[in-house]
Amino acid sequence: QVQLVESGGGLVQTGGSLRLSCVLSGLTVSSYAMGWFRQAPGKEREFVASIGRSGDTIYYAQFVKDRFRLFRDNAENTVYLQMNSLTPEDTAVYYCARARVVAAARIPDEYAYWGPGTQVTVST
């Protein structure tokens, strides 16, 4: 069965860093696009980053501003989100997802499988 499991969330001070991991089982990370989304309390789920099947195209949300980096380890069937210079506005549950399309995708409807999420909290 298909399963995505995120890890690496936690509590960090403003300006700190976290690395989120997403291990995919049942499917390979290189067959379709992969993405990261986040959802803060009272807000809609928003796009963070996505990588296409080939791995040569990566899209980032505007708020990333060179602070986050998405990368993939095909051998470990894992995608990562390295987050630096974190601020309280980054506080949210972060979700890993595998798309139903092969090109990097920015909207939730383009994703077929989702992990349960991992909490990121940035304090002042």
Side-chain angles (χ1 to χ4, degrees), residues 11-17 67 84-91 121-124:
L11 176 64
V12 65
Q13 297 283 337
T14 296
S17 299
R67 299 181 300 128
N84 302 318
S85 301
L86 287 163
T87 74
E89 288 71 35
D90 296 314
T91 295
T121 303
V122 185
S123 67
T124 58

Side-chain angles (χ1 to χ4, degrees), residues 30-71:
S30 59
S31 294
Y32 292 88
M34 298 290 299
W36 286 94
F37 292 77
R38 70 184 189 184
Q39 188 166 21
K43 297 185 178 180
E44 294 185 341
R45 189 168 299 186
E46 67 176 340
F47 169 77
V48 177
S50 177
I51 183 171
R53 179 179 63 182
S54 66
D56 60 348
T57 301
I58 301 176
Y59 294 151
Y60 293 102
Q62 182 65 32
F63 63 75
V64 168
K65 297 288 188 181
D66 298 321
R67 299 181 300 128
F68 297 178
R69 178 190 170 217
L70 184 157
F71 59 100

